Amino acid sequence: MSQIDEKTSVKTFPLQMVSDALLAELTVLAEGEAQIQGLSLPSQPAALRTMHIRLDSLTVVAITCALDDILGFEPKDIVRAGGYESIDAAMNHMMPRIEAAWIKRHPVRA
């Protein structure tokens, strides 16, 4: 690979893959938590995303291992202490932090 090729071969953040994997993991977590808490689940996926349900920070940290294969590293310090009140709250907080961790590991070289 030439010097020019190395500079132009920038790894793009796999936004859709990360988002899909994180959403799938958070959905399974929320469904399990709803069952434990005796809550009825909404029939619409969009309603589940906004449903008020406690997602413990330690459990959320544990599910982030699903992102390791996609990212090629384990993202650190992306989960809010105290957890989240919905899937969307978790997604909205974590996705920018995951992307920032990606950029830190894959800086654009000029």
Side-chain angles (χ1 to χ4, degrees), residues 6-80:
E6 287 177 23
K7 288 181 181 179
T8 59
S9 67
V10 176
K11 290 187 176 182
T12 304
F13 177 63
L15 176 66
Q16 194 63 54
M17 289 175 62
V18 171
S19 180
D20 289 350
L22 185 58
L23 179 58
E25 292 295 324
L26 288 168
T27 299
V28 169
L29 175 60
E31 289 170 345
E33 286 298 316
Q35 188 174 22
I36 290 168
Q37 296 174 28
L39 302 172
S40 298
L41 292 173
S43 58
Q44 298 297 319
L48 178 60
R49 288 182 63 152
T50 59
M51 178 181 171
H52 182 82
I53 186 159
R54 186 87 186 103
L55 302 174
D56 177 71
S57 61
L58 295 176
T59 309
V60 175
V61 167
I63 67 166
T64 62
C65 68
L67 304 176
D68 295 0
D69 288 341
I70 298 168
L71 297 171
F73 64 93
E74 181 181 349
K76 303 280 188 190
D77 303 319
I78 60 167
V79 177
R80 180 183 319 150

Side-chain angles (χ1 to χ4, degrees), residues 75-79 92-102:
K76 303 280 188 190
D77 303 319
I78 60 167
V79 177
N92 292 337
H93 180 260
M94 292 170 57
M95 284 301 295
R97 285 159 179 75
I98 296 166
E99 186 170 10
W102 172 271

